Amino acid sequence: MRIVVLTGAGISAESGLATFRGEDGLWEGHHPADVATPEAFEANPTLVQRFYDERRAALTRVEPNAAHVALAQLESALGNDLYLVTQNIDDLHERGGSERVHHMHGRLRAAWCLACNERHVWEEALTDGPPCPSCHSSMLRPDIVWFGEVPYGMESIDQELADCDLFVSIGTSGVVYPAAAFVHYAIGNGKRTLELNLETSDTTSDFHESRRGPASELVPAWVEEVLSGRSG
């Protein structure tokens, strides 16, 4: 069985990372247009760099939870029959043990040089305009897909959704496109769909099955079901 898993902010929230939306969301005090668009970066690069520098630093204070670890166990069992795509820009999946993660919205711990187009693993702050390791220009930006930009690897995602047997959405709001449309694409191609979410999302009614609860409980239980089915 081939499975495509999409994860969103809800899976990382239990590790202590704030989601974008909600009462304590990252947008509190910042309108998205001020920190998450190419236009915002051009108008006020210091504000945007500082916003993502703070988020990058926050990663050092959190750890992967049981949901991340369970998905890594599923990858170990299924190999290439599991395609894990995440909307999250943190590295908790990798730190939880997953080795093949498609970050459709980019990664916090990466920088993109606008001068030479190279991308680099990046741990430090970008606010002070450090030089690019490749061309030494000071034109690095967060390697993040901002509003108005095209998510990474959409052709690969579309192909995986067309080839899978089951699409599973974990901890997503069902608000941000194109990820919110993955369930429609999967169903349109005759695939089974499952949602694991703390609350009802904007696309809950579109799934064949939806389960409610914390990701750290739902995901390990679901993974155990899959692995038991394979060994039974």
Side-chain angles (χ1 to χ4, degrees), residues 119-150:
R119 288 172 166 83
H120 303 278
V121 174
W122 201 267
E123 304 284 347
E124 307 302 324
L126 289 170
T127 305
D128 296 331
C132 167
S134 296
C135 71
H136 309 295
S137 68
S138 295
M139 295 185 65
L140 293 172
R141 59 161 272 187
D143 190 13
I144 306 296
V145 176
W146 288 326
F147 290 102
E149 297 180 327
V150 179

PDB file of all heavy atoms in Angstrom, residues 119-150:
ATOM      1  N   ARG A 119      21.333  27.417  -2.412  1.00  0.00           N
ATOM      2  CA  ARG A 119      20.686  27.230  -1.113  1.00  0.00           C
ATOM      3  C   ARG A 119      21.661  26.542  -0.169  1.00  0.00           C
ATOM      4  O   ARG A 119      22.394  25.649  -0.581  1.00  0.00           O
ATOM      5  CB  ARG A 119      19.402  26.419  -1.269  1.00  0.00           C
ATOM      6  CG  ARG A 119      18.271  27.207  -1.931  1.00  0.00           C
ATOM      7  CD  ARG A 119      17.074  26.333  -2.244  1.00  0.00           C
ATOM      8  NE  ARG A 119      15.898  27.120  -2.569  1.00  0.00           N
ATOM      9  CZ  ARG A 119      15.631  27.627  -3.761  1.00  0.00           C
ATOM     10  NH1 ARG A 119      16.473  27.420  -4.761  1.00  0.00           N
ATOM     11  NH2 ARG A 119      14.534  28.328  -3.962  1.00  0.00           N
ATOM     12  N   HIS A 120      21.636  26.951   1.092  1.00  0.00           N
ATOM     13  CA  HIS A 120      22.584  26.440   2.066  1.00  0.00           C
ATOM     14  C   HIS A 120      21.882  26.091   3.373  1.00  0.00           C
ATOM     15  O   HIS A 120      20.937  26.778   3.778  1.00  0.00           O
ATOM     16  CB  HIS A 120      23.671  27.486   2.358  1.00  0.00           C
ATOM     17  CG  HIS A 120      24.418  27.952   1.141  1.00  0.00           C
ATOM     18  ND1 HIS A 120      25.472  27.251   0.600  1.00  0.00           N
ATOM     19  CD2 HIS A 120      24.247  29.051   0.353  1.00  0.00           C
ATOM     20  CE1 HIS A 120      25.923  27.895  -0.462  1.00  0.00           C
ATOM     21  NE2 HIS A 120      25.195  28.985  -0.632  1.00  0.00           N
ATOM     22  N   VAL A 121      22.358  25.042   4.023  1.00  0.00           N
ATOM     23  CA  VAL A 121      21.927  24.779   5.388  1.00  0.00           C
ATOM     24  C   VAL A 121      22.348  25.968   6.234  1.00  0.00           C
ATOM     25  O   VAL A 121      23.480  26.464   6.120  1.00  0.00           O
ATOM     26  CB  VAL A 121      22.575  23.479   5.923  1.00  0.00           C
ATOM     27  CG1 VAL A 121      22.228  23.285   7.399  1.00  0.00           C
ATOM     28  CG2 VAL A 121      22.114  22.287   5.102  1.00  0.00           C
ATOM     29  N   TRP A 122      21.419  26.449   7.067  1.00  0.00           N
ATOM     30  CA  TRP A 122      21.708  27.685   7.805  1.00  0.00           C
ATOM     31  C   TRP A 122      21.167  27.601   9.226  1.00  0.00           C
ATOM     32  O   TRP A 122      19.990  27.316   9.431  1.00  0.00           O
ATOM     33  CB  TRP A 122      21.094  28.890   7.088  1.00  0.00           C
ATOM     34  CG  TRP A 122      21.758  30.170   7.501  1.00  0.00           C
ATOM     35  CD1 TRP A 122      21.364  31.023   8.495  1.00  0.00           C
ATOM     36  CD2 TRP A 122      22.950  30.713   6.947  1.00  0.00           C
ATOM     37  NE1 TRP A 122      22.236  32.062   8.594  1.00  0.00           N
ATOM     38  CE2 TRP A 122      23.226  31.898   7.654  1.00  0.00           C
ATOM     39  CE3 TRP A 122      23.818  30.304   5.933  1.00  0.00           C
ATOM     40  CZ2 TRP A 122      24.333  32.699   7.366  1.00  0.00           C
ATOM     41  CZ3 TRP A 122      24.917  31.103   5.641  1.00  0.00           C
ATOM     42  CH2 TRP A 122      25.163  32.280   6.356  1.00  0.00           C
ATOM     43  N   GLU A 123      22.035  27.864  10.202  1.00  0.00           N
ATOM     44  CA  GLU A 123      21.648  27.795  11.609  1.00  0.00           C
ATOM     45  C   GLU A 123      21.623  29.162  12.287  1.00  0.00           C
ATOM     46  O   GLU A 123      20.946  29.345  13.293  1.00  0.00           O
ATOM     47  CB  GLU A 123      22.634  26.892  12.377  1.00  0.00           C
ATOM     48  CG  GLU A 123      22.777  25.480  11.827  1.00  0.00           C
ATOM     49  CD  GLU A 123      21.601  24.595  12.190  1.00  0.00           C
ATOM     50  OE1 GLU A 123      20.812  24.993  13.065  1.00  0.00           O
ATOM     51  OE2 GLU A 123      21.471  23.520  11.589  1.00  0.00           O
ATOM     52  N   GLU A 124      22.361  30.101  11.750  1.00  0.00           N
ATOM     53  CA  GLU A 124      22.550  31.384  12.420  1.00  0.00           C
ATOM     54  C   GLU A 124      21.533  32.422  11.963  1.00  0.00           C
ATOM     55  O   GLU A 124      20.695  32.169  11.098  1.00  0.00           O
ATOM     56  CB  GLU A 124      23.977  31.894  12.154  1.00  0.00           C
ATOM     57  CG  GLU A 124      25.065  30.898  12.501  1.00  0.00           C
ATOM     58  CD  GLU A 124      25.025  30.472  13.946  1.00  0.00           C
ATOM     59  OE1 GLU A 124      24.706  31.326  14.803  1.00  0.00           O
ATOM     60  OE2 GLU A 124      25.293  29.285  14.225  1.00  0.00           O
ATOM     61  N   ALA A 125      21.657  33.632  12.526  1.00  0.00           N
ATOM     62  CA  ALA A 125      20.773  34.735  12.161  1.00  0.00           C
ATOM     63  C   ALA A 125      21.109  35.252  10.761  1.00  0.00           C
ATOM     64  O   ALA A 125      22.241  35.131  10.289  1.00  0.00           O
ATOM     65  CB  ALA A 125      20.884  35.860  13.184  1.00  0.00           C
ATOM     66  N   LEU A 126      20.108  35.823  10.113  1.00  0.00           N
ATOM     67  CA  LEU A 126      20.290  36.440   8.803  1.00  0.00           C
ATOM     68  C   LEU A 126      20.130  37.959   8.854  1.00  0.00           C
ATOM     69  O   LEU A 126      20.394  38.646   7.868  1.00  0.00           O
ATOM     70  CB  LEU A 126      19.296  35.864   7.797  1.00  0.00           C
ATOM     71  CG  LEU A 126      19.530  34.415   7.342  1.00  0.00           C
ATOM     72  CD1 LEU A 126      18.324  33.909   6.545  1.00  0.00           C
ATOM     73  CD2 LEU A 126      20.792  34.318   6.505  1.00  0.00           C
ATOM     74  N   THR A 127      19.718  38.465  10.002  1.00  0.00           N
ATOM     75  CA  THR A 127      19.394  39.889  10.115  1.00  0.00           C
ATOM     76  C   THR A 127      20.567  40.789   9.747  1.00  0.00           C
ATOM     77  O   THR A 127      20.388  41.837   9.123  1.00  0.00           O
ATOM     78  CB  THR A 127      18.921  40.218  11.544  1.00  0.00           C
ATOM     79  OG1 THR A 127      17.829  39.369  11.875  1.00  0.00           O
ATOM     80  CG2 THR A 127      18.470  41.670  11.654  1.00  0.00           C
ATOM     81  N   ASP A 128      21.778  40.406  10.120  1.00  0.00           N
ATOM     82  CA  ASP A 128      22.945  41.261   9.907  1.00  0.00           C
ATOM     83  C   ASP A 128      23.546  41.131   8.509  1.00  0.00           C
ATOM     84  O   ASP A 128      24.623  41.678   8.235  1.00  0.00           O
ATOM     85  CB  ASP A 128      24.025  40.956  10.950  1.00  0.00           C
ATOM     86  CG  ASP A 128      23.551  41.287  12.361  1.00  0.00           C
ATOM     87  OD1 ASP A 128      22.714  42.200  12.491  1.00  0.00           O
ATOM     88  OD2 ASP A 128      24.004  40.628  13.309  1.00  0.00           O
ATOM     89  N   GLY A 129      22.878  40.379   7.617  1.00  0.00           N
ATOM     90  CA  GLY A 129      23.351  40.273   6.244  1.00  0.00           C
ATOM     91  C   GLY A 129      24.648  39.518   6.073  1.00  0.00           C
ATOM     92  O   GLY A 129      25.590  40.033   5.440  1.00  0.00           O
ATOM     93  N   PRO A 130      24.750  38.300   6.589  1.00  0.00           N
ATOM     94  CA  PRO A 130      25.984  37.526   6.436  1.00  0.00           C
ATOM     95  C   PRO A 130      26.227  37.172   4.967  1.00  0.00           C
ATOM     96  O   PRO A 130      25.295  37.135   4.171  1.00  0.00           O
ATOM     97  CB  PRO A 130      25.704  36.263   7.259  1.00  0.00           C
ATOM     98  CG  PRO A 130      24.216  36.134   7.248  1.00  0.00           C
ATOM     99  CD  PRO A 130      23.701  37.542   7.287  1.00  0.00           C
ATOM    100  N   PRO A 131      27.480  36.919   4.596  1.00  0.00           N
ATOM    101  CA  PRO A 131      27.787  36.611   3.201  1.00  0.00           C
ATOM    102  C   PRO A 131      27.350  35.210   2.810  1.00  0.00           C
ATOM    103  O   PRO A 131      27.351  34.291   3.627  1.00  0.00           O
ATOM    104  CB  PRO A 131      29.315  36.743   3.137  1.00  0.00           C
ATOM    105  CG  PRO A 131      29.761  36.415   4.530  1.00  0.00           C
ATOM    106  CD  PRO A 131      28.693  36.994   5.429  1.00  0.00           C
ATOM    107  N   CYS A 132      26.998  35.049   1.555  1.00  0.00           N
ATOM    108  CA  CYS A 132      26.656  33.741   1.012  1.00  0.00           C
ATOM    109  C   CYS A 132      27.925  32.889   0.955  1.00  0.00           C
ATOM    110  O   CYS A 132      28.971  33.362   0.490  1.00  0.00           O
ATOM    111  CB  CYS A 132      26.077  33.907  -0.389  1.00  0.00           C
ATOM    112  SG  CYS A 132      25.942  32.362  -1.325  1.00  0.00           S
ATOM    113  N   PRO A 133      27.889  31.644   1.425  1.00  0.00           N
ATOM    114  CA  PRO A 133      29.076  30.782   1.366  1.00  0.00           C
ATOM    115  C   PRO A 133      29.568  30.531  -0.051  1.00  0.00           C
ATOM    116  O   PRO A 133      30.737  30.201  -0.253  1.00  0.00           O
ATOM    117  CB  PRO A 133      28.586  29.477   2.012  1.00  0.00           C
ATOM    118  CG  PRO A 133      27.456  29.888   2.890  1.00  0.00           C
ATOM    119  CD  PRO A 133      26.774  31.000   2.145  1.00  0.00           C
ATOM    120  N   SER A 134      28.687  30.695  -1.043  1.00  0.00           N
ATOM    121  CA  SER A 134      29.082  30.420  -2.431  1.00  0.00           C
ATOM    122  C   SER A 134      29.645  31.636  -3.150  1.00  0.00           C
ATOM    123  O   SER A 134      30.720  31.578  -3.755  1.00  0.00           O
ATOM    124  CB  SER A 134      27.888  29.877  -3.222  1.00  0.00           C
ATOM    125  OG  SER A 134      27.462  28.634  -2.720  1.00  0.00           O
ATOM    126  N   CYS A 135      28.896  32.760  -3.098  1.00  0.00           N
ATOM    127  CA  CYS A 135      29.319  33.921  -3.884  1.00  0.00           C
ATOM    128  C   CYS A 135      29.735  35.111  -3.034  1.00  0.00           C
ATOM    129  O   CYS A 135      30.162  36.137  -3.563  1.00  0.00           O
ATOM    130  CB  CYS A 135      28.215  34.337  -4.849  1.00  0.00           C
ATOM    131  SG  CYS A 135      26.772  35.090  -4.041  1.00  0.00           S
ATOM    132  N   HIS A 136      29.557  34.986  -1.709  1.00  0.00           N
ATOM    133  CA  HIS A 136      29.986  35.999  -0.735  1.00  0.00           C
ATOM    134  C   HIS A 136      29.176  37.298  -0.778  1.00  0.00           C
ATOM    135  O   HIS A 136      29.540  38.267  -0.120  1.00  0.00           O
ATOM    136  CB  HIS A 136      31.485  36.312  -0.908  1.00  0.00           C
ATOM    137  CG  HIS A 136      32.348  35.091  -0.937  1.00  0.00           C
ATOM    138  ND1 HIS A 136      32.477  34.263   0.160  1.00  0.00           N
ATOM    139  CD2 HIS A 136      33.089  34.536  -1.932  1.00  0.00           C
ATOM    140  CE1 HIS A 136      33.282  33.262  -0.148  1.00  0.00           C
ATOM    141  NE2 HIS A 136      33.670  33.396  -1.419  1.00  0.00           N
ATOM    142  N   SER A 137      28.096  37.328  -1.536  1.00  0.00           N
ATOM    143  CA  SER A 137      27.225  38.505  -1.503  1.00  0.00           C
ATOM    144  C   SER A 137      26.344  38.436  -0.260  1.00  0.00           C
ATOM    145  O   SER A 137      26.139  37.372   0.317  1.00  0.00           O
ATOM    146  CB  SER A 137      26.357  38.558  -2.754  1.00  0.00           C
ATOM    147  OG  SER A 137      25.416  37.491  -2.750  1.00  0.00           O
ATOM    148  N   SER A 138      25.831  39.575   0.142  1.00  0.00           N
ATOM    149  CA  SER A 138      24.957  39.634   1.322  1.00  0.00           C
ATOM    150  C   SER A 138      23.500  39.714   0.878  1.00  0.00           C
ATOM    151  O   SER A 138      22.781  40.672   1.188  1.00  0.00           O
ATOM    152  CB  SER A 138      25.326  40.826   2.196  1.00  0.00           C
ATOM    153  OG  SER A 138      26.626  40.668   2.724  1.00  0.00           O
ATOM    154  N   MET A 139      23.078  38.702   0.134  1.00  0.00           N
ATOM    155  CA  MET A 139      21.716  38.689  -0.387  1.00  0.00           C
ATOM    156  C   MET A 139      20.996  37.393  -0.013  1.00  0.00           C
ATOM    157  O   MET A 139      20.254  36.818  -0.805  1.00  0.00           O
ATOM    158  CB  MET A 139      21.716  38.894  -1.900  1.00  0.00           C
ATOM    159  CG  MET A 139      22.220  40.268  -2.325  1.00  0.00           C
ATOM    160  SD  MET A 139      22.071  40.541  -4.112  1.00  0.00           S
ATOM    161  CE  MET A 139      20.289  40.513  -4.311  1.00  0.00           C
ATOM    162  N   LEU A 140      21.220  36.928   1.193  1.00  0.00           N
ATOM    163  CA  LEU A 140      20.556  35.720   1.673  1.00  0.00           C
ATOM    164  C   LEU A 140      19.180  36.062   2.237  1.00  0.00           C
ATOM    165  O   LEU A 140      18.997  37.072   2.913  1.00  0.00           O
ATOM    166  CB  LEU A 140      21.389  35.050   2.764  1.00  0.00           C
ATOM    167  CG  LEU A 140      22.729  34.458   2.351  1.00  0.00           C
ATOM    168  CD1 LEU A 140      23.495  34.009   3.598  1.00  0.00           C
ATOM    169  CD2 LEU A 140      22.540  33.284   1.400  1.00  0.00           C
ATOM    170  N   ARG A 141      18.221  35.195   1.955  1.00  0.00           N
ATOM    171  CA  ARG A 141      16.884  35.301   2.539  1.00  0.00           C
ATOM    172  C   ARG A 141      16.509  33.931   3.095  1.00  0.00           C
ATOM    173  O   ARG A 141      17.095  32.910   2.707  1.00  0.00           O
ATOM    174  CB  ARG A 141      15.846  35.753   1.510  1.00  0.00           C
ATOM    175  CG  ARG A 141      15.712  34.858   0.302  1.00  0.00           C
ATOM    176  CD  ARG A 141      14.397  35.043  -0.453  1.00  0.00           C
ATOM    177  NE  ARG A 141      13.347  34.179   0.083  1.00  0.00           N
ATOM    178  CZ  ARG A 141      12.145  34.043  -0.465  1.00  0.00           C
ATOM    179  NH1 ARG A 141      11.837  34.714  -1.555  1.00  0.00           N
ATOM    180  NH2 ARG A 141      11.235  33.248   0.068  1.00  0.00           N
ATOM    181  N   PRO A 142      15.509  33.865   3.972  1.00  0.00           N
ATOM    182  CA  PRO A 142      15.032  32.552   4.423  1.00  0.00           C
ATOM    183  C   PRO A 142      14.548  31.727   3.236  1.00  0.00           C
ATOM    184  O   PRO A 142      13.909  32.265   2.329  1.00  0.00           O
ATOM    185  CB  PRO A 142      13.873  32.902   5.365  1.00  0.00           C
ATOM    186  CG  PRO A 142      14.135  34.308   5.794  1.00  0.00           C
ATOM    187  CD  PRO A 142      14.774  34.975   4.612  1.00  0.00           C
ATOM    188  N   ASP A 143      14.878  30.455   3.224  1.00  0.00           N
ATOM    189  CA  ASP A 143      14.434  29.579   2.134  1.00  0.00           C
ATOM    190  C   ASP A 143      13.020  29.108   2.435  1.00  0.00           C
ATOM    191  O   ASP A 143      12.762  27.923   2.673  1.00  0.00           O
ATOM    192  CB  ASP A 143      15.390  28.395   1.984  1.00  0.00           C
ATOM    193  CG  ASP A 143      15.115  27.592   0.721  1.00  0.00           C
ATOM    194  OD1 ASP A 143      14.354  28.089  -0.141  1.00  0.00           O
ATOM    195  OD2 ASP A 143      15.652  26.479   0.602  1.00  0.00           O
ATOM    196  N   ILE A 144      12.112  30.070   2.449  1.00  0.00           N
ATOM    197  CA  ILE A 144      10.719  29.864   2.810  1.00  0.00           C
ATOM    198  C   ILE A 144       9.835  30.251   1.628  1.00  0.00           C
ATOM    199  O   ILE A 144      10.092  31.259   0.960  1.00  0.00           O
ATOM    200  CB  ILE A 144      10.324  30.732   4.032  1.00  0.00           C
ATOM    201  CG1 ILE A 144      11.262  30.485   5.207  1.00  0.00           C
ATOM    202  CG2 ILE A 144       8.868  30.482   4.419  1.00  0.00           C
ATOM    203  CD1 ILE A 144      11.225  29.084   5.758  1.00  0.00           C
ATOM    204  N   VAL A 145       8.805  29.467   1.379  1.00  0.00           N
ATOM    205  CA  VAL A 145       7.820  29.832   0.356  1.00  0.00           C
ATOM    206  C   VAL A 145       6.818  30.793   0.987  1.00  0.00           C
ATOM    207  O   VAL A 145       6.034  30.409   1.859  1.00  0.00           O
ATOM    208  CB  VAL A 145       7.097  28.587  -0.185  1.00  0.00           C
ATOM    209  CG1 VAL A 145       6.013  28.990  -1.177  1.00  0.00           C
ATOM    210  CG2 VAL A 145       8.095  27.638  -0.847  1.00  0.00           C
ATOM    211  N   TRP A 146       6.860  32.022   0.558  1.00  0.00           N
ATOM    212  CA  TRP A 146       5.963  33.036   1.090  1.00  0.00           C
ATOM    213  C   TRP A 146       4.664  33.088   0.297  1.00  0.00           C
ATOM    214  O   TRP A 146       4.551  32.508  -0.786  1.00  0.00           O
ATOM    215  CB  TRP A 146       6.652  34.407   1.051  1.00  0.00           C
ATOM    216  CG  TRP A 146       7.746  34.546   2.075  1.00  0.00           C
ATOM    217  CD1 TRP A 146       7.775  33.999   3.324  1.00  0.00           C
ATOM    218  CD2 TRP A 146       8.969  35.287   1.942  1.00  0.00           C
ATOM    219  NE1 TRP A 146       8.930  34.362   3.979  1.00  0.00           N
ATOM    220  CE2 TRP A 146       9.681  35.146   3.148  1.00  0.00           C
ATOM    221  CE3 TRP A 146       9.527  36.055   0.911  1.00  0.00           C
ATOM    222  CZ2 TRP A 146      10.922  35.740   3.381  1.00  0.00           C
ATOM    223  CZ3 TRP A 146      10.764  36.650   1.123  1.00  0.00           C
ATOM    224  CH2 TRP A 146      11.450  36.506   2.344  1.00  0.00           C
ATOM    225  N   PHE A 147       3.681  33.785   0.850  1.00  0.00           N
ATOM    226  CA  PHE A 147       2.422  33.975   0.149  1.00  0.00           C
ATOM    227  C   PHE A 147       2.701  34.631  -1.209  1.00  0.00           C
ATOM    228  O   PHE A 147       3.471  35.586  -1.303  1.00  0.00           O
ATOM    229  CB  PHE A 147       1.470  34.851   0.966  1.00  0.00           C
ATOM    230  CG  PHE A 147       0.951  34.174   2.209  1.00  0.00           C
ATOM    231  CD1 PHE A 147       1.474  34.482   3.456  1.00  0.00           C
ATOM    232  CD2 PHE A 147      -0.051  33.218   2.136  1.00  0.00           C
ATOM    233  CE1 PHE A 147       1.007  33.856   4.605  1.00  0.00           C
ATOM    234  CE2 PHE A 147      -0.522  32.586   3.279  1.00  0.00           C
ATOM    235  CZ  PHE A 147       0.006  32.901   4.505  1.00  0.00           C
ATOM    236  N   GLY A 148       2.092  34.068  -2.229  1.00  0.00           N
ATOM    237  CA  GLY A 148       2.311  34.566  -3.571  1.00  0.00           C
ATOM    238  C   GLY A 148       3.395  33.824  -4.321  1.00  0.00           C
ATOM    239  O   GLY A 148       3.589  34.054  -5.521  1.00  0.00           O
ATOM    240  N   GLU A 149       4.126  32.926  -3.634  1.00  0.00           N
ATOM    241  CA  GLU A 149       5.160  32.121  -4.273  1.00  0.00           C
ATOM    242  C   GLU A 149       4.668  30.685  -4.456  1.00  0.00           C
ATOM    243  O   GLU A 149       3.758  30.240  -3.758  1.00  0.00           O
ATOM    244  CB  GLU A 149       6.452  32.151  -3.453  1.00  0.00           C
ATOM    245  CG  GLU A 149       7.050  33.549  -3.351  1.00  0.00           C
ATOM    246  CD  GLU A 149       8.322  33.592  -2.534  1.00  0.00           C
ATOM    247  OE1 GLU A 149       8.445  32.806  -1.561  1.00  0.00           O
ATOM    248  OE2 GLU A 149       9.196  34.423  -2.857  1.00  0.00           O
ATOM    249  N   VAL A 150       5.279  29.961  -5.366  1.00  0.00           N
ATOM    250  CA  VAL A 150       4.844  28.606  -5.688  1.00  0.00           C
ATOM    251  C   VAL A 150       5.533  27.594  -4.771  1.00  0.00           C
ATOM    252  O   VAL A 150       6.769  27.597  -4.662  1.00  0.00           O
ATOM    253  CB  VAL A 150       5.172  28.263  -7.161  1.00  0.00           C
ATOM    254  CG1 VAL A 150       4.740  26.835  -7.480  1.00  0.00           C
ATOM    255  CG2 VAL A 150       4.497  29.259  -8.095  1.00  0.00           C
TER     256      VAL A 150
END
